[in-house]
Amino acid sequence: VTTEQNRKLELRAQGNSRYTFTMPDGAVTVAVKFAKTDAETLPFDDVFSSDWFHEPVHYVYSHQLMVGTSDTLFAPQSSVTRAMIWAVLSRQAGAETDSSGSDWYSGVQQWAVANAISDGTRPNDSVSREELITMLYRYKGAPAATADLSAYSDADTISAWASDAMRWGIETGLIAGLS
C-alpha cells in the first residue's frame, strides 16, 4: 500500500490472510501479488526446517492462529504476550476482531473482555502459566474441576483467581508439575 507520494504504509497482519493499514488523508494504491508456495515453506527469516519448532510454527501459521511479529519474522524465541494469546483464542473462535484503534491488538482485546477471557489489561506483558491456563479455562467455558492442588509444594503461590483454572489444567493434562 503506497500513498500518492509513493510512501509505503505499514501493513498489520490480522490472520486469515487479512491485513489492515491506517488510511491517510488522500488516495492510496493497493498492489497485490499472488504466488504459489510450497506447503512447508514459511515466510519467516527466523524459522528453518531444521529447527525443533518448525512444525509447531507451521501448524499455527497454516491454521491462521498466529501470523508472526512481522511479514518476515515469527520471533519464536520471544515471550508470548497477553495480547498474542487473545489473538490466538479469537482466531480459534473464528471471531471478527478488526482493530479499530491504533494498536494491533485492540480488536482482540475487546473480544477477550467481551467474552470474559481476560480483563484486557497489560496487553504487552508476558503471560504467566496461571494467566495462560486461566484464559484457556475461560475460553472453554470455565468447566468444573476437582484436582487436588495440595499435592504440589508451590500450591500456596497460586493466585486465588487462578485456582479453579489450575485444577482444570491439571485435570485435563494441559499442565503438570512435580508434587
Side-chain angles (χ1 to χ4, degrees):
V1 179
T2 56
T3 65
E4 293 173 306
Q5 295 77 29
N6 208 28
R7 185 176 60 93
K8 289 185 178 183
L9 297 179
E10 176 189 353
L11 293 179
R12 294 178 299 278
Q14 300 297 305
N16 296 326
S17 300
R18 294 175 45 188
Y19 295 84
T20 61
F21 63 92
T22 302
M23 183 69 183
D25 292 334
V28 297
T29 301
V30 178
V32 180
K33 295 180 184 178
F34 296 94
K36 185 175 181 177
T37 60
D38 177 358
E40 293 298 312
T41 302
L42 294 169
F44 307 118
D45 296 336
D46 56 355
V47 178
F48 304 98
S49 59
S50 59
D51 291 329
W52 70 265
F53 49 78
H54 180 270
E55 287 306 312
V57 170
H58 185 270
Y59 179 88
V60 296
Y61 181 73
S62 66
H63 287 84
Q64 300 171 341
L65 296 174
M66 297 180 112
V67 295
T69 58
S70 77
D71 289 343
T72 58
L73 296 175
F74 190 82
Q77 305 295 338
S78 297
S79 296
V80 175
T81 66
R82 293 168 54 87
M84 290 175 181
I85 298 301
W86 303 335
V88 169
L89 294 176
S90 68
R91 291 173 187 144
Q92 178 68 33
E96 291 292 325
T97 56
D98 289 335
S99 292
S100 57
S102 60
D103 297 316
W104 73 266
Y105 56 77
S106 64
V108 297
Q109 182 179 40
Q110 291 169 11
W111 176 87
V113 171
N115 288 278
I117 304 296
S118 172
D119 62 5
T121 61
R122 304 180 344 268
N124 294 312
D125 284 5
S126 295
V127 67
S128 70
R129 285 182 76 196
E130 70 178 7
E131 288 172 330
L132 174 60
I133 292 301
T134 299
M135 285 188 262
L136 294 172
Y137 169 74
R138 291 173 179 167
Y139 176 77
K140 293 302 253 176
T146 59
D148 182 10
L149 299 177
S150 67
Y152 298 93
S153 60
D154 61 349
D156 61 336
T157 66
I158 297 171
S159 300
W161 52 263
S163 60
D164 288 340
M166 294 298 277
R167 283 185 188 86
W168 172 81
I170 289 167
E171 237 171 63
T172 58
L174 285 174
I175 57 172
L178 301 174
S179 54

